[in-house]
Amino acid sequence: MGRTGETFAFRTSGKGRPLELVGPAAWWRNFSELSFDNSDSIVDFLRRRGDPFGQLSPTMQGDTGGWKYLSGLLKLAASCWTTIIPPTSLCTDFDNGYVIEALLASPMFDVTFVPHVAEIRIGASVRRGLNMHIIPKDLGAYMVASAVLHLENHVDMAVCEQCRDWFVLQRRGTQFCSPSCRAAHSTSKKERR
């Protein structure tokens, strides 16, 4: 990893692992808070999530050149949430249509919609109906699509006490994004005693 003017250039020695994404993920907010002056935070994001533009490979170097634009879009989306009781963040901007329009109009919102038939629950009955899979071009498009879906659904979020990732808050008072983070936190707490 090295600095080239305003950006960091990075390369990898391995192939990494494929990232399986099912549904929107709130860690797009981690990217919106990323410090581009801190190479450690850039490397940490790359290790955990990958290159937002899919450029990085064992044969091709990547850089943070387009990251600031993506981060700016996601900062705009994140501005619709307000932290009232840390670490909980509530979607308080219910008139966020202009933000959603800006995200949808961005070249970063590069997704394909694939129709499929799925079971749809309506009250007590279940019927089959048309639904859409959203397939993003790359990780950056996935983060923008996640932000759009979270804005549209006005979801509440929190920061995991263990891994420090943002996650969708299903129930007030939840402190961890996953059972594995809860277990890791409990283990580290026992080791400190």
Side-chain angles (χ1 to χ4, degrees), residues 82-104:
T82 303
T83 301
I84 297 173
I85 304 168
T88 303
S89 185
L90 307 175
C91 187
T92 55
D93 187 354
F94 287 97
D95 185 25
N96 57 30
Y98 68 94
V99 175
I100 292 174
E101 286 177 16
L103 294 173
L104 293 176

Side-chain angles (χ1 to χ4, degrees):
M1 174 128 189
R3 191 170 192 105
T4 57
E6 292 277 319
T7 66
F8 282 96
F10 44 84
R11 66 180 83 225
T12 184
S13 58
K15 294 181 183 174
R17 58 182 161 73
L19 183 63
E20 289 189 32
L21 305 169
V22 179
W27 49 260
W28 61 265
R29 289 194 56 186
N30 291 59
F31 191 84
S32 75
E33 297 169 349
L34 200 60
S35 169
F36 294 107
D37 294 329
N38 183 338
S39 63
D40 291 339
S41 66
I42 293 168
V43 169
D44 183 54
F45 186 87
L46 284 166
R47 283 188 179 135
R48 292 193 74 206
R49 304 298 177 194
D51 177 15
F53 300 110
Q55 299 170 337
L56 186 60
S57 74
T59 59
M60 190 167 165
Q61 176 177 296
D63 65 55
T64 58
W67 287 34
K68 287 185 180 178
Y69 174 74
L70 175 58
S71 177
L73 279 175
L74 297 176
K75 282 180 196 300
L76 176 64
S79 72
C80 295
W81 276 266
T82 303
T83 301
I84 297 173
I85 304 168
T88 303
S89 185
L90 307 175
C91 187
T92 55
D93 187 354
F94 287 97
D95 185 25
N96 57 30
Y98 68 94
V99 175
I100 292 174
E101 286 177 16
L103 294 173
L104 293 176
S106 161
M108 287 303 312
F109 187 75
D110 192 352
V111 299
T112 304
F113 296 95
V114 178
H116 70 101
V117 177
E119 290 186 353
I120 299 171
R121 183 172 299 280
I122 301 172
S125 65
V126 177
R127 69 176 184 86
R128 294 176 61 77
L130 185 63
N131 206 336
M132 290 285 175
H133 280 303
I134 300 172
I135 302 172
K137 173 187 166 208
D138 53 29
L139 189 63
Y142 170 75
M143 289 189 285
V144 173
S146 291
V148 167
L149 292 168
H150 288 146
L151 279 165
E152 180 65 26
N153 294 310
H154 303 285
V155 301
D156 295 338
M157 298 182 188
V159 176
C160 177
E161 286 190 28
Q162 177 63 25
C163 70
R164 308 308 300 162
D165 271 353
W166 283 95
F167 67 98
V168 173
L169 195 59
Q170 302 293 338
R171 191 178 59 216
R172 297 249 191 262
T174 304
Q175 299 170 315
F176 305 102
C177 65
S178 67
S180 59
C181 274
R182 184 183 313 110
H185 184 75
S186 177
T187 301
S188 67
K189 211 169 156 182
K190 287 176 187 173
E191 288 173 356
R192 284 191 300 257
R193 288 185 197 152

